[in-house]
Amino acid sequence: MIIDAHAHVSPTTYGATEQYLEVLSQSGIDQAVICPGGMLDVRKMSEFVSGQKKPDAVPKNEYVGNCVQSSPKLIGMACVNPCDLQAAEKLEQYLEQGFRGLMVSPLVHKFSFTDDSMAELARLCGEYGVPVVSHNGWRPGANTGDYALLARKCPRTNFILEHMGQLPTDGEATHTAAELDNFFLETSLSSYLHVVETVKKTGASKVIFGSEFPLSHPSLELRKILLLPITDGEREQILGGNIRELLHLD
């Protein structure tokens, strides 16, 4: 079974769930983990990174929840703002509703992985047996090293780093995944060479296939995994087995 472990859906012209489900069928992907999207327009990413535009800081969790209810292919992750004084309470409500993990976005919400509030959310995820998912924020407090520190601080919680840390290669991300049992790397937007070298160093059990829809196409990201010089068993782990285990889908 192939699972896209990282996609964003939103009530927009470019990221609607109906479009994504059609793309999944075209790509031969069986299931997908969806997160709230649309907080920033990925077609204009540079304007948000530079500060020219401000994101919509309200995550569309209800939209994701409704999408999950409408299709058995979809598995939902909730997004909360760690700076929200009620963040832990909101996250617990979402987890009780059936969301399978926490996505945080340091590009949208200006928190640090070193904040006490982030540790509280991470520990709550550990209590519920669900992972924390995030990308790098490319600023002090929200880089790979800061995320790794949080994973060390919360050993009962699993952490997934989107895009394998990105850049052409993020050696710190690979080193951390090899060192920590609770640290995993998701492949979308990463370089082929980075995926190859990471699997050599960490084993296939620490790498998870994702597409970053709508910014990338699932078929394009899937092809990268199909070309890896690995065994069929290792490929099955990356394409679905690892995320199934982390989300207790069996």
Side-chain angles (χ1 to χ4, degrees):
M1 174 177 284
I2 301 176
I3 301 174
D4 179 357
H6 182 209
H8 296 271
V9 295
S10 59
T12 60
T13 57
Y14 60 87
T17 305
E18 294 80 8
Q19 291 173 281
Y20 180 51
L21 287 171
E22 183 175 343
V23 169
L24 285 180
S25 295
Q26 293 170 350
S27 304
I29 296 174
D30 304 291
Q31 284 187 290
V33 180
I34 57 172
C35 308
M39 289 180 282
L40 48 80
D41 189 335
V42 294
R43 300 169 299 179
K44 304 174 181 178
M45 184 69 77
S46 62
E47 296 178 27
F48 289 98
V49 174
S50 66
Q52 297 175 56
K53 286 184 177 291
K54 300 297 181 184
D56 174 2
V58 181
K60 307 302 187 289
N61 290 306
E62 289 73 17
Y63 180 79
V64 169
N66 291 335
C67 295
V68 170
Q69 291 295 321
S70 68
S71 174
K73 284 190 173 186
L74 302 177
I75 302 151
M77 289 235 181
C79 177
V80 301
N81 179 1
C83 300
D84 187 337
L85 295 178
Q86 296 180 308
E89 179 182 341
K90 290 180 179 178
L91 175 59
E92 190 159 20
Q93 290 174 352
Y94 288 127
L95 296 179
E96 291 289 343
Q97 292 171 18
F99 284 80
R100 296 288 189 134
L102 167 66
M103 184 201 83
V104 290
S105 178
L107 276 180
V108 174
H109 304 123
K110 300 306 180 183
F111 67 93
S112 294
F113 293 127
T114 55
D115 292 343
D116 290 343
S117 59
M118 192 61 235
E120 181 182 11
L121 293 173
R123 291 191 179 104
L124 182 59
C125 286
E127 292 172 11
Y128 275 83
V130 300
V132 176
V133 181
S134 184
H135 55 71
N136 279 333
W138 301 284
R139 57 178 169 80
N143 293 320
T144 296
D146 303 304
Y147 198 48
L149 284 174
L150 180 61
R152 289 185 173 91
K153 188 185 297 185
C154 304
R156 292 181 55 198
T157 304
N158 289 314
F159 293 82
I160 301 173
L161 179 60
E162 299 172 12
H163 321 313
M164 303 184 76
Q166 216 172 31
L167 304 176
T169 58
D170 184 339
E172 188 171 17
T174 299
H175 175 77
T176 303
E179 180 186 6
L180 299 182
D181 291 339
N182 64 332
F183 199 86
F184 300 81
L185 302 178
E186 180 268 319
T187 61
S188 65
L189 308 184
S190 60
S191 71
Y192 173 78
L193 180 60
H194 187 23
V195 181
V196 170
E197 292 301 313
T198 294
V199 173
K200 288 180 184 177
K201 294 173 182 176
T202 69
S205 65
K206 304 307 290 293
V207 178
I208 295 168
F209 162 64
S211 75
E212 182 67 356
F213 174 89
L215 191 56
S216 188
H217 194 291
S219 288
L220 177 63
E221 298 294 335
L222 176 60
R223 185 63 180 163
K224 186 163 53 182
I225 307 304
L226 295 178
L227 289 171
L228 293 176
I230 56 178
T231 68
D232 289 343
E234 289 172 324
R235 207 177 322 276
E236 288 173 5
Q237 283 183 288
I238 294 171
L239 290 178
N242 294 332
I243 193 65
R244 287 183 67 84
E245 184 172 342
L246 287 178
L247 299 185
H248 309 289
L249 298 181
D250 292 329

